[in-house]
Amino acid sequence: MIIKLQSTLLENIINKFQDENGYFVWDEVPGWLRAHGYNVKMLTDDELFYIEFEQDTEYSKFLLEWA
């Protein structure tokens, strides 16, 4: 399942990453999310960010935690 990251989700991910690490590097977000228990891939196009979940159940868990 692939979802588009809305601005609220992006802000929450960025803020949590910065709080935990003291800096932000977008390329490190996929590994950081995997360390938090999500088996995901990050996808982008020219303007938007997406997350691909290998299992649909992870999608629900992700939204409950990050939305």
Short mmCIF file of all heavy atoms in Angstrom, two decimals:
data_model
loop_
_atom_site.label_atom_id
_atom_site.label_comp_id
_atom_site.label_asym_id
_atom_site.label_seq_id
_atom_site.Cartn_x
_atom_site.Cartn_y
_atom_site.Cartn_z
N MET A 1 0.85 -1.17 0.00
CA MET A 1 0.00 0.00 0.00
C MET A 1 0.90 1.24 0.00
O MET A 1 1.85 1.31 0.74
CB MET A 1 -0.90 -0.02 1.23
CG MET A 1 -1.64 1.28 1.44
SD MET A 1 -2.76 1.22 2.83
CE MET A 1 -4.14 0.46 2.04
N ILE A 2 0.56 2.19 -0.83
CA ILE A 2 1.32 3.44 -0.93
C ILE A 2 0.40 4.59 -0.52
O ILE A 2 -0.72 4.68 -1.00
CB ILE A 2 1.84 3.67 -2.35
CG1 ILE A 2 2.82 2.55 -2.74
CG2 ILE A 2 2.52 5.04 -2.45
CD1 ILE A 2 3.29 2.62 -4.17
N ILE A 3 0.91 5.45 0.39
CA ILE A 3 0.14 6.63 0.78
C ILE A 3 0.97 7.88 0.54
O ILE A 3 2.20 7.85 0.62
CB ILE A 3 -0.32 6.59 2.25
CG1 ILE A 3 0.87 6.63 3.20
CG2 ILE A 3 -1.21 5.41 2.52
CD1 ILE A 3 0.51 6.97 4.63
N LYS A 4 0.27 8.96 0.24
CA LYS A 4 0.92 10.26 0.10
C LYS A 4 1.05 10.85 1.51
O LYS A 4 0.11 10.81 2.29
CB LYS A 4 0.10 11.18 -0.79
CG LYS A 4 0.69 12.57 -0.95
CD LYS A 4 -0.10 13.39 -1.94
CE LYS A 4 -1.45 13.71 -1.37
NZ LYS A 4 -2.20 14.70 -2.14
N LEU A 5 2.21 11.38 1.82
CA LEU A 5 2.41 12.01 3.13
C LEU A 5 1.83 13.42 3.11
O LEU A 5 2.32 14.29 2.40
CB LEU A 5 3.89 12.06 3.49
CG LEU A 5 4.52 10.74 3.87
CD1 LEU A 5 6.01 10.93 4.12
CD2 LEU A 5 3.86 10.16 5.11
N GLN A 6 0.78 13.61 3.87
CA GLN A 6 0.19 14.94 4.01
C GLN A 6 1.11 15.81 4.87
O GLN A 6 1.98 15.30 5.58
CB GLN A 6 -1.19 14.81 4.67
CG GLN A 6 -2.17 13.93 3.91
CD GLN A 6 -2.53 14.50 2.55
OE1 GLN A 6 -2.48 15.70 2.33
NE2 GLN A 6 -2.89 13.64 1.63
N SER A 7 0.91 17.11 4.83
CA SER A 7 1.80 18.04 5.53
C SER A 7 1.85 17.77 7.03
O SER A 7 2.92 17.85 7.64
CB SER A 7 1.39 19.49 5.26
OG SER A 7 0.07 19.72 5.68
N THR A 8 0.73 17.39 7.65
CA THR A 8 0.73 17.10 9.08
C THR A 8 1.62 15.91 9.41
O THR A 8 2.40 15.94 10.36
CB THR A 8 -0.71 16.82 9.57
OG1 THR A 8 -1.52 17.94 9.26
CG2 THR A 8 -0.74 16.55 11.06
N LEU A 9 1.52 14.85 8.61
CA LEU A 9 2.36 13.68 8.82
C LEU A 9 3.83 14.02 8.63
O LEU A 9 4.67 13.60 9.43
CB LEU A 9 1.96 12.54 7.89
CG LEU A 9 0.66 11.83 8.17
CD1 LEU A 9 0.34 10.84 7.07
CD2 LEU A 9 0.71 11.13 9.51
N LEU A 10 4.13 14.77 7.59
CA LEU A 10 5.52 15.17 7.35
C LEU A 10 6.07 15.98 8.52
O LEU A 10 7.18 15.72 8.99
CB LEU A 10 5.63 16.01 6.07
CG LEU A 10 5.74 15.27 4.77
CD1 LEU A 10 5.65 16.24 3.60
CD2 LEU A 10 7.02 14.49 4.70
N GLU A 11 5.31 16.94 8.99
CA GLU A 11 5.75 17.77 10.11
C GLU A 11 5.98 16.93 11.36
O GLU A 11 6.97 17.13 12.07
CB GLU A 11 4.72 18.86 10.41
CG GLU A 11 4.67 19.94 9.36
CD GLU A 11 3.54 20.94 9.60
OE1 GLU A 11 3.07 21.05 10.77
OE2 GLU A 11 3.14 21.60 8.65
N ASN A 12 5.08 15.99 11.64
CA ASN A 12 5.23 15.15 12.82
C ASN A 12 6.48 14.27 12.73
O ASN A 12 7.20 14.10 13.71
CB ASN A 12 3.98 14.29 13.03
CG ASN A 12 2.79 15.11 13.44
OD1 ASN A 12 2.91 16.26 13.87
ND2 ASN A 12 1.61 14.53 13.31
N ILE A 13 6.74 13.71 11.57
CA ILE A 13 7.92 12.87 11.37
C ILE A 13 9.18 13.71 11.52
O ILE A 13 10.13 13.33 12.22
CB ILE A 13 7.88 12.17 9.99
CG1 ILE A 13 6.77 11.12 9.99
CG2 ILE A 13 9.22 11.55 9.64
CD1 ILE A 13 6.45 10.56 8.62
N ILE A 14 9.22 14.86 10.86
CA ILE A 14 10.40 15.73 10.93
C ILE A 14 10.65 16.18 12.37
O ILE A 14 11.79 16.12 12.86
CB ILE A 14 10.22 16.95 10.00
CG1 ILE A 14 10.29 16.49 8.53
CG2 ILE A 14 11.26 18.02 10.28
CD1 ILE A 14 9.83 17.54 7.53
N ASN A 15 9.61 16.62 13.07
CA ASN A 15 9.78 17.08 14.45
C ASN A 15 10.27 15.98 15.37
O ASN A 15 11.16 16.20 16.20
CB ASN A 15 8.47 17.67 14.98
CG ASN A 15 8.12 18.98 14.31
OD1 ASN A 15 8.98 19.68 13.79
ND2 ASN A 15 6.84 19.31 14.32
N LYS A 16 9.70 14.78 15.25
CA LYS A 16 10.12 13.65 16.11
C LYS A 16 11.55 13.26 15.80
O LYS A 16 12.34 12.99 16.72
CB LYS A 16 9.16 12.47 15.89
CG LYS A 16 9.48 11.26 16.67
CD LYS A 16 8.98 11.36 18.08
CE LYS A 16 9.15 9.99 18.75
NZ LYS A 16 8.69 9.98 20.10
N PHE A 17 11.92 13.23 14.52
CA PHE A 17 13.29 12.90 14.14
C PHE A 17 14.26 13.91 14.75
O PHE A 17 15.27 13.54 15.33
CB PHE A 17 13.43 12.88 12.61
CG PHE A 17 14.77 12.40 12.13
CD1 PHE A 17 14.92 11.10 11.67
CD2 PHE A 17 15.88 13.23 12.12
CE1 PHE A 17 16.15 10.65 11.22
CE2 PHE A 17 17.11 12.78 11.67
CZ PHE A 17 17.25 11.49 11.22
N GLN A 18 13.95 15.19 14.62
CA GLN A 18 14.80 16.24 15.17
C GLN A 18 14.90 16.15 16.69
O GLN A 18 15.98 16.33 17.25
CB GLN A 18 14.29 17.62 14.77
CG GLN A 18 14.56 17.95 13.33
CD GLN A 18 14.00 19.30 12.92
OE1 GLN A 18 12.96 19.75 13.41
NE2 GLN A 18 14.68 19.96 12.00
N ASP A 19 13.78 15.88 17.35
CA ASP A 19 13.80 15.76 18.81
C ASP A 19 14.70 14.62 19.27
O ASP A 19 15.43 14.75 20.25
CB ASP A 19 12.38 15.53 19.35
CG ASP A 19 11.50 16.77 19.24
OD1 ASP A 19 12.04 17.87 18.99
OD2 ASP A 19 10.27 16.62 19.39
N GLU A 20 14.64 13.50 18.57
CA GLU A 20 15.43 12.33 18.96
C GLU A 20 16.90 12.44 18.59
O GLU A 20 17.75 11.92 19.29
CB GLU A 20 14.86 11.06 18.34
CG GLU A 20 13.58 10.59 18.97
CD GLU A 20 13.13 9.25 18.45
OE1 GLU A 20 13.91 8.54 17.78
OE2 GLU A 20 11.97 8.91 18.71
N ASN A 21 17.21 13.11 17.48
CA ASN A 21 18.57 13.10 16.95
C ASN A 21 19.29 14.44 17.02
O ASN A 21 20.51 14.49 16.86
CB ASN A 21 18.55 12.62 15.49
CG ASN A 21 17.99 11.22 15.39
OD1 ASN A 21 18.56 10.28 15.91
ND2 ASN A 21 16.85 11.07 14.74
N GLY A 22 18.56 15.52 17.19
CA GLY A 22 19.19 16.83 17.24
C GLY A 22 19.51 17.42 15.87
O GLY A 22 20.13 18.47 15.78
N TYR A 23 19.10 16.76 14.82
CA TYR A 23 19.31 17.24 13.44
C TYR A 23 18.27 16.56 12.57
O TYR A 23 17.55 15.68 13.03
CB TYR A 23 20.72 16.92 12.95
CG TYR A 23 20.99 15.43 12.80
CD1 TYR A 23 20.79 14.78 11.58
CD2 TYR A 23 21.43 14.68 13.88
CE1 TYR A 23 21.02 13.42 11.45
CE2 TYR A 23 21.66 13.32 13.76
CZ TYR A 23 21.46 12.71 12.54
OH TYR A 23 21.67 11.36 12.41
N PHE A 24 18.22 16.96 11.30
CA PHE A 24 17.31 16.30 10.37
C PHE A 24 18.01 16.08 9.04
O PHE A 24 18.56 17.01 8.45
CB PHE A 24 16.04 17.12 10.14
CG PHE A 24 15.09 16.44 9.19
CD1 PHE A 24 14.31 15.40 9.62
CD2 PHE A 24 15.03 16.83 7.87
CE1 PHE A 24 13.45 14.74 8.74
CE2 PHE A 24 14.18 16.19 6.98
CZ PHE A 24 13.39 15.15 7.43
N VAL A 25 17.98 14.84 8.55
CA VAL A 25 18.47 14.48 7.22
C VAL A 25 17.42 13.55 6.61
O VAL A 25 17.19 12.45 7.13
CB VAL A 25 19.83 13.76 7.30
CG1 VAL A 25 20.28 13.30 5.92
CG2 VAL A 25 20.88 14.66 7.94
N TRP A 26 16.78 14.00 5.55
CA TRP A 26 15.68 13.25 4.95
C TRP A 26 16.08 11.84 4.56
O TRP A 26 15.31 10.90 4.71
CB TRP A 26 15.11 14.00 3.75
CG TRP A 26 13.94 13.28 3.18
CD1 TRP A 26 13.89 12.56 2.03
CD2 TRP A 26 12.64 13.15 3.77
NE1 TRP A 26 12.63 12.01 1.85
CE2 TRP A 26 11.86 12.36 2.92
CE3 TRP A 26 12.07 13.63 4.94
CZ2 TRP A 26 10.53 12.04 3.20
CZ3 TRP A 26 10.75 13.31 5.21
CH2 TRP A 26 10.01 12.53 4.34
N ASP A 27 17.31 11.66 4.07
CA ASP A 27 17.76 10.34 3.62
C ASP A 27 17.83 9.33 4.76
O ASP A 27 17.84 8.12 4.51
CB ASP A 27 19.12 10.44 2.94
CG ASP A 27 19.05 11.16 1.61
OD1 ASP A 27 17.94 11.24 1.03
OD2 ASP A 27 20.09 11.65 1.14
N GLU A 28 17.89 9.79 6.00
CA GLU A 28 17.96 8.89 7.14
C GLU A 28 16.59 8.48 7.67
O GLU A 28 16.48 7.60 8.51
CB GLU A 28 18.78 9.53 8.26
CG GLU A 28 20.23 9.71 7.91
CD GLU A 28 21.05 10.31 9.04
OE1 GLU A 28 20.57 10.33 10.19
OE2 GLU A 28 22.17 10.75 8.77
N VAL A 29 15.54 9.12 7.20
CA VAL A 29 14.19 8.86 7.71
C VAL A 29 13.74 7.41 7.48
O VAL A 29 13.20 6.79 8.40
CB VAL A 29 13.17 9.87 7.13
CG1 VAL A 29 11.74 9.47 7.46
CG2 VAL A 29 13.47 11.26 7.66
N PRO A 30 13.94 6.81 6.31
CA PRO A 30 13.49 5.43 6.14
C PRO A 30 14.10 4.46 7.16
O PRO A 30 13.39 3.65 7.76
CB PRO A 30 13.91 5.07 4.72
CG PRO A 30 13.99 6.38 4.01
CD PRO A 30 14.47 7.35 5.05
N GLY A 31 15.40 4.55 7.38
CA GLY A 31 16.05 3.69 8.36
C GLY A 31 15.57 3.97 9.77
O GLY A 31 15.39 3.06 10.59
N TRP A 32 15.34 5.23 10.06
CA TRP A 32 14.84 5.64 11.37
C TRP A 32 13.44 5.09 11.60
O TRP A 32 13.14 4.58 12.68
CB TRP A 32 14.87 7.17 11.44
CG TRP A 32 14.37 7.76 12.71
CD1 TRP A 32 15.01 7.80 13.92
CD2 TRP A 32 13.13 8.43 12.89
NE1 TRP A 32 14.23 8.45 14.83
CE2 TRP A 32 13.07 8.84 14.23
CE3 TRP A 32 12.06 8.72 12.05
CZ2 TRP A 32 11.98 9.53 14.74
CZ3 TRP A 32 10.98 9.40 12.56
CH2 TRP A 32 10.95 9.81 13.89
N LEU A 33 12.58 5.15 10.58
CA LEU A 33 11.24 4.58 10.70
C LEU A 33 11.31 3.06 10.86
O LEU A 33 10.54 2.47 11.63
CB LEU A 33 10.37 4.94 9.50
CG LEU A 33 9.87 6.38 9.45
CD1 LEU A 33 9.19 6.67 8.12
CD2 LEU A 33 8.92 6.68 10.60
N ARG A 34 12.23 2.40 10.16
CA ARG A 34 12.39 0.96 10.32
C ARG A 34 12.83 0.63 11.75
O ARG A 34 12.39 -0.36 12.33
CB ARG A 34 13.37 0.40 9.29
CG ARG A 34 12.75 0.26 7.90
CD ARG A 34 13.63 -0.51 6.94
NE ARG A 34 14.82 0.21 6.55
CZ ARG A 34 14.86 1.11 5.58
NH1 ARG A 34 13.76 1.40 4.90
NH2 ARG A 34 15.99 1.71 5.28
N ALA A 35 13.67 1.48 12.33
CA ALA A 35 14.09 1.28 13.72
C ALA A 35 12.91 1.44 14.68
O ALA A 35 12.93 0.89 15.78
CB ALA A 35 15.19 2.27 14.08
N HIS A 36 11.89 2.15 14.26
CA HIS A 36 10.68 2.32 15.06
C HIS A 36 9.64 1.23 14.77
O HIS A 36 8.50 1.32 15.23
CB HIS A 36 10.06 3.70 14.82
CG HIS A 36 10.76 4.79 15.55
ND1 HIS A 36 10.42 5.16 16.82
CD2 HIS A 36 11.83 5.56 15.22
CE1 HIS A 36 11.22 6.13 17.23
NE2 HIS A 36 12.08 6.38 16.27
N GLY A 37 10.01 0.24 13.97
CA GLY A 37 9.14 -0.91 13.74
C GLY A 37 8.32 -0.89 12.47
O GLY A 37 7.42 -1.71 12.31
N TYR A 38 8.62 0.03 11.57
CA TYR A 38 7.86 0.11 10.31
C TYR A 38 8.73 -0.37 9.16
O TYR A 38 9.80 0.17 8.92
CB TYR A 38 7.41 1.54 10.04
CG TYR A 38 6.49 2.07 11.09
CD1 TYR A 38 6.95 2.93 12.07
CD2 TYR A 38 5.16 1.69 11.11
CE1 TYR A 38 6.10 3.41 13.05
CE2 TYR A 38 4.31 2.16 12.09
CZ TYR A 38 4.79 3.02 13.06
OH TYR A 38 3.95 3.48 14.02
N ASN A 39 8.24 -1.37 8.43
CA ASN A 39 8.96 -1.87 7.26
C ASN A 39 8.42 -1.09 6.06
O ASN A 39 7.44 -1.49 5.43
CB ASN A 39 8.73 -3.37 7.10
CG ASN A 39 9.66 -3.97 6.08
OD1 ASN A 39 10.60 -3.33 5.63
ND2 ASN A 39 9.39 -5.20 5.72
N VAL A 40 9.07 0.05 5.76
CA VAL A 40 8.57 0.97 4.74
C VAL A 40 9.66 1.35 3.76
O VAL A 40 10.84 1.19 4.03
CB VAL A 40 8.01 2.27 5.37
CG1 VAL A 40 6.83 1.96 6.27
CG2 VAL A 40 9.08 3.02 6.13
N LYS A 41 9.21 1.86 2.63
CA LYS A 41 10.10 2.47 1.64
C LYS A 41 9.59 3.89 1.42
O LYS A 41 8.38 4.12 1.37
CB LYS A 41 10.05 1.72 0.31
CG LYS A 41 10.63 0.35 0.35
CD LYS A 41 10.53 -0.31 -1.02
CE LYS A 41 11.01 -1.74 -0.95
NZ LYS A 41 10.82 -2.42 -2.22
N MET A 42 10.50 4.83 1.29
CA MET A 42 10.13 6.22 1.02
C MET A 42 10.22 6.43 -0.49
O MET A 42 11.19 6.03 -1.12
CB MET A 42 11.07 7.18 1.73
CG MET A 42 11.10 6.99 3.24
SD MET A 42 9.55 7.30 4.06
CE MET A 42 9.45 9.05 3.95
N LEU A 43 9.21 7.08 -1.05
CA LEU A 43 9.17 7.39 -2.47
C LEU A 43 8.91 8.88 -2.64
O LEU A 43 8.26 9.50 -1.80
CB LEU A 43 8.04 6.60 -3.14
CG LEU A 43 7.99 5.09 -2.87
CD1 LEU A 43 6.67 4.51 -3.33
CD2 LEU A 43 9.16 4.41 -3.54
N THR A 44 9.42 9.45 -3.71
CA THR A 44 9.17 10.86 -3.98
C THR A 44 8.96 11.06 -5.47
O THR A 44 9.38 10.25 -6.29
CB THR A 44 10.35 11.76 -3.55
OG1 THR A 44 11.51 11.42 -4.30
CG2 THR A 44 10.66 11.62 -2.08
N ASP A 45 8.28 12.14 -5.79
CA ASP A 45 8.26 12.62 -7.15
C ASP A 45 8.76 14.06 -7.08
O ASP A 45 9.43 14.43 -6.11
CB ASP A 45 6.89 12.47 -7.82
CG ASP A 45 5.78 13.24 -7.14
OD1 ASP A 45 6.07 14.15 -6.34
OD2 ASP A 45 4.61 12.93 -7.39
N ASP A 46 8.49 14.88 -8.04
CA ASP A 46 9.04 16.24 -8.05
C ASP A 46 8.53 17.11 -6.90
O ASP A 46 9.21 18.03 -6.50
CB ASP A 46 8.71 16.93 -9.38
CG ASP A 46 9.47 16.33 -10.54
OD1 ASP A 46 10.53 15.70 -10.30
OD2 ASP A 46 9.00 16.48 -11.68
N GLU A 47 7.36 16.81 -6.37
CA GLU A 47 6.77 17.68 -5.36
C GLU A 47 6.30 16.96 -4.10
O GLU A 47 6.16 17.60 -3.06
CB GLU A 47 5.58 18.43 -5.95
CG GLU A 47 5.96 19.31 -7.12
CD GLU A 47 4.73 19.96 -7.74
OE1 GLU A 47 3.67 19.96 -7.12
OE2 GLU A 47 4.87 20.47 -8.87
N LEU A 48 6.00 15.68 -4.16
CA LEU A 48 5.34 14.99 -3.06
C LEU A 48 6.17 13.85 -2.52
O LEU A 48 7.05 13.32 -3.19
CB LEU A 48 3.98 14.46 -3.53
CG LEU A 48 3.01 15.50 -4.08
CD1 LEU A 48 1.80 14.83 -4.69
CD2 LEU A 48 2.60 16.48 -3.00
N PHE A 49 5.86 13.46 -1.29
CA PHE A 49 6.51 12.34 -0.63
C PHE A 49 5.47 11.26 -0.37
O PHE A 49 4.33 11.55 -0.02
CB PHE A 49 7.13 12.77 0.70
CG PHE A 49 8.23 13.76 0.55
CD1 PHE A 49 7.98 15.12 0.64
CD2 PHE A 49 9.52 13.35 0.30
CE1 PHE A 49 8.98 16.05 0.50
CE2 PHE A 49 10.55 14.27 0.15
CZ PHE A 49 10.28 15.62 0.25
N TYR A 50 5.89 10.01 -0.52
CA TYR A 50 5.02 8.86 -0.32
C TYR A 50 5.73 7.84 0.54
O TYR A 50 6.96 7.79 0.59
CB TYR A 50 4.68 8.19 -1.65
CG TYR A 50 4.05 9.11 -2.66
CD1 TYR A 50 4.83 9.87 -3.52
CD2 TYR A 50 2.67 9.22 -2.75
CE1 TYR A 50 4.26 10.72 -4.45
CE2 TYR A 50 2.08 10.06 -3.68
CZ TYR A 50 2.89 10.81 -4.53
OH TYR A 50 2.31 11.65 -5.43
N ILE A 51 4.93 7.00 1.20
CA ILE A 51 5.47 5.86 1.94
C ILE A 51 4.79 4.61 1.40
O ILE A 51 3.57 4.57 1.24
CB ILE A 51 5.21 5.97 3.46
CG1 ILE A 51 6.03 7.11 4.04
CG2 ILE A 51 5.56 4.67 4.16
CD1 ILE A 51 5.89 7.24 5.55
N GLU A 52 5.60 3.59 1.14
CA GLU A 52 5.07 2.30 0.71
C GLU A 52 5.20 1.32 1.87
O GLU A 52 6.28 1.13 2.41
CB GLU A 52 5.84 1.76 -0.49
CG GLU A 52 5.33 0.43 -0.98
CD GLU A 52 6.06 -0.08 -2.20
OE1 GLU A 52 7.01 0.58 -2.67
OE2 GLU A 52 5.69 -1.16 -2.66
N PHE A 53 4.08 0.73 2.25
CA PHE A 53 4.04 -0.25 3.33
C PHE A 53 3.99 -1.64 2.72
O PHE A 53 3.22 -1.89 1.81
CB PHE A 53 2.79 -0.05 4.19
CG PHE A 53 2.76 1.26 4.91
CD1 PHE A 53 2.20 2.38 4.33
CD2 PHE A 53 3.32 1.39 6.17
CE1 PHE A 53 2.18 3.60 4.98
CE2 PHE A 53 3.30 2.60 6.84
CZ PHE A 53 2.73 3.71 6.24
N GLU A 54 4.81 -2.53 3.25
CA GLU A 54 4.79 -3.90 2.74
C GLU A 54 3.57 -4.65 3.23
O GLU A 54 3.10 -5.56 2.56
CB GLU A 54 6.07 -4.61 3.14
CG GLU A 54 7.27 -4.06 2.39
CD GLU A 54 8.48 -4.93 2.50
OE1 GLU A 54 8.35 -6.11 2.88
OE2 GLU A 54 9.58 -4.44 2.20
N GLN A 55 3.04 -4.28 4.41
CA GLN A 55 1.84 -4.91 4.94
C GLN A 55 0.81 -3.84 5.25
O GLN A 55 1.13 -2.81 5.83
CB GLN A 55 2.15 -5.70 6.21
CG GLN A 55 3.10 -6.85 5.98
CD GLN A 55 3.40 -7.58 7.28
OE1 GLN A 55 3.03 -7.14 8.35
NE2 GLN A 55 4.06 -8.71 7.15
N ASP A 56 -0.43 -4.09 4.88
CA ASP A 56 -1.50 -3.11 5.11
C ASP A 56 -1.71 -2.81 6.58
O ASP A 56 -2.13 -1.71 6.93
CB ASP A 56 -2.81 -3.59 4.48
CG ASP A 56 -2.77 -3.56 2.96
OD1 ASP A 56 -1.83 -2.96 2.40
OD2 ASP A 56 -3.68 -4.14 2.34
N THR A 57 -1.44 -3.77 7.46
CA THR A 57 -1.65 -3.53 8.89
C THR A 57 -0.70 -2.45 9.42
O THR A 57 -1.03 -1.75 10.37
CB THR A 57 -1.46 -4.82 9.70
OG1 THR A 57 -0.17 -5.37 9.42
CG2 THR A 57 -2.53 -5.85 9.36
N GLU A 58 0.47 -2.32 8.81
CA GLU A 58 1.42 -1.28 9.23
C GLU A 58 0.87 0.11 8.93
O GLU A 58 1.16 1.07 9.65
CB GLU A 58 2.77 -1.46 8.55
CG GLU A 58 3.55 -2.65 9.05
CD GLU A 58 4.90 -2.74 8.40
OE1 GLU A 58 5.04 -2.36 7.22
OE2 GLU A 58 5.83 -3.20 9.08
N TYR A 59 0.09 0.24 7.90
CA TYR A 59 -0.50 1.51 7.52
C TYR A 59 -1.37 2.06 8.65
O TYR A 59 -1.25 3.22 9.04
CB TYR A 59 -1.31 1.33 6.23
CG TYR A 59 -2.25 2.45 5.91
CD1 TYR A 59 -1.76 3.65 5.44
CD2 TYR A 59 -3.62 2.31 6.06
CE1 TYR A 59 -2.62 4.70 5.12
CE2 TYR A 59 -4.49 3.34 5.75
CZ TYR A 59 -3.98 4.53 5.28
OH TYR A 59 -4.82 5.56 4.98
N SER A 60 -2.24 1.23 9.20
CA SER A 60 -3.12 1.66 10.29
C SER A 60 -2.31 2.05 11.51
O SER A 60 -2.56 3.08 12.14
CB SER A 60 -4.10 0.55 10.66
OG SER A 60 -4.90 0.23 9.57
N LYS A 61 -1.34 1.24 11.87
CA LYS A 61 -0.48 1.52 13.02
C LYS A 61 0.26 2.85 12.82
O LYS A 61 0.36 3.68 13.72
CB LYS A 61 0.50 0.38 13.22
CG LYS A 61 1.45 0.57 14.37
CD LYS A 61 2.45 -0.57 14.44
CE LYS A 61 3.56 -0.22 15.40
NZ LYS A 61 4.68 -1.14 15.32
N PHE A 62 0.77 3.05 11.61
CA PHE A 62 1.50 4.27 11.29
C PHE A 62 0.62 5.51 11.46
O PHE A 62 1.02 6.48 12.08
CB PHE A 62 2.02 4.18 9.85
CG PHE A 62 2.83 5.36 9.43
CD1 PHE A 62 4.18 5.44 9.73
CD2 PHE A 62 2.25 6.41 8.73
CE1 PHE A 62 4.93 6.53 9.33
CE2 PHE A 62 3.00 7.50 8.33
CZ PHE A 62 4.34 7.56 8.64
N LEU A 63 -0.59 5.47 10.92
CA LEU A 63 -1.49 6.61 11.03
C LEU A 63 -1.88 6.89 12.47
O LEU A 63 -1.98 8.05 12.87
CB LEU A 63 -2.73 6.41 10.17
CG LEU A 63 -2.52 6.53 8.67
CD1 LEU A 63 -3.84 6.34 7.94
CD2 LEU A 63 -1.91 7.86 8.30
N LEU A 64 -2.09 5.85 13.26
CA LEU A 64 -2.43 6.07 14.65
C LEU A 64 -1.30 6.75 15.42
O LEU A 64 -1.54 7.57 16.29
CB LEU A 64 -2.78 4.74 15.33
CG LEU A 64 -4.12 4.14 14.95
CD1 LEU A 64 -4.26 2.73 15.52
CD2 LEU A 64 -5.25 5.02 15.44
N GLU A 65 -0.07 6.41 15.08
CA GLU A 65 1.07 6.99 15.78
C GLU A 65 1.44 8.38 15.28
O GLU A 65 1.80 9.24 16.07
CB GLU A 65 2.29 6.08 15.66
CG GLU A 65 3.49 6.61 16.43
CD GLU A 65 4.63 5.64 16.48
OE1 GLU A 65 4.46 4.45 16.16
OE2 GLU A 65 5.73 6.09 16.86
N TRP A 66 1.35 8.62 13.99
CA TRP A 66 1.92 9.84 13.42
C TRP A 66 0.91 10.92 13.04
O TRP A 66 1.29 12.06 12.82
CB TRP A 66 2.76 9.50 12.20
CG TRP A 66 3.93 8.67 12.57
CD1 TRP A 66 4.06 7.33 12.42
CD2 TRP A 66 5.13 9.11 13.21
NE1 TRP A 66 5.26 6.91 12.92
CE2 TRP A 66 5.94 7.98 13.40
CE3 TRP A 66 5.59 10.36 13.63
CZ2 TRP A 66 7.19 8.07 14.00
CZ3 TRP A 66 6.85 10.43 14.22
CH2 TRP A 66 7.62 9.31 14.40
N ALA A 67 -0.36 10.59 12.94
CA ALA A 67 -1.35 11.60 12.53
C ALA A 67 -1.76 12.50 13.67
O ALA A 67 -1.56 12.27 14.79
CB ALA A 67 -2.57 10.92 11.95
#
